[in-house]
């Protein structure tokens, strides 16, 4: 392989690696910024109960990756609970699931006062 061709292949590989690294994930917010983000979040689900549960779960999954781990871990748990609620015949959280959601909300509240 010629030197110029090697350089082109190497340049393409480096460019691809940089693009992949840049797209691999966005940086997460700090705790304070995560709390501000949650306080300013204007998400509002629409539709029937099952559609709303599905939308809430999806929203929780989407935002969890952007937030500080102290905040994102309870939100990931909440997303899983809402996934189960959406998959149920009623499409709503059971009283037990509502209690679990409250526990996770309270964990977030320990950081976002």
């Amino acid at each position: 392989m010629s030197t110029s061709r090697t350089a082109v292949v190497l340049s393409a590989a480096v460019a691809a690696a940089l693009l992949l690294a840049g797209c691999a994930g966005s940086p997460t917010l700090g705790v304070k910024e995560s709390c501000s983000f949650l306080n300013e979040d204007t998400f509002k689900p629409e539709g029937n109960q099952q559609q709303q549960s599905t939308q809430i779960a999806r929203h929780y999954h989407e935002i969890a990756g952007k937030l500080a781990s102290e905040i994102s871990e309870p939100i990931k748990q909440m997303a899983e609970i809402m996934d189960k609620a959406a998959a149920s015949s009623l499409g709503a959280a059971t009283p037990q699931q509502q209690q679990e959601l409250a526990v996770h909300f309270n964990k977030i509240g320990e950081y976002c006062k």
Side-chain angles (χ1 to χ4, degrees):
M1 192 180 265
S2 70
T3 305
S4 62
R5 187 164 184 209
T6 303
V8 169
V9 170
L10 188 56
S11 295
V14 169
L18 289 173
L19 283 172
L20 288 174
C23 297
S26 57
T28 57
L29 300 172
V31 172
K32 184 177 179 180
E33 294 84 6
S34 295
C35 293
S36 293
F37 176 86
L38 292 177
N39 286 329
E40 296 171 8
D41 188 14
T42 59
F43 170 78
K44 185 173 181 185
E46 298 176 347
N48 65 34
Q49 186 63 51
Q50 194 158 34
Q51 291 168 331
Q52 289 182 17
S53 293
T54 300
Q55 292 168 23
I56 292 167
R58 186 179 316 122
H59 182 65
Y60 288 165
H61 283 295
E62 289 172 358
I63 66 172
K66 301 175 184 177
L67 305 174
S69 62
E70 296 89 341
I71 310 297
S72 69
E73 288 307 315
I75 290 179
K76 288 176 186 175
Q77 296 297 315
M78 292 165 61
E80 290 178 21
I81 293 167
M82 292 308 296
D83 281 335
K84 291 175 187 171
S88 73
S89 60
L90 295 176
T94 65
Q96 174 64 34
Q97 288 170 325
Q98 290 173 2
Q99 288 178 343
E100 292 173 23
L101 288 168
V103 167
H104 296 300
F105 274 121
N106 290 337
K107 285 181 185 175
I108 295 168
E110 292 173 13
Y111 295 98
C112 300
K113 297 178 186 202

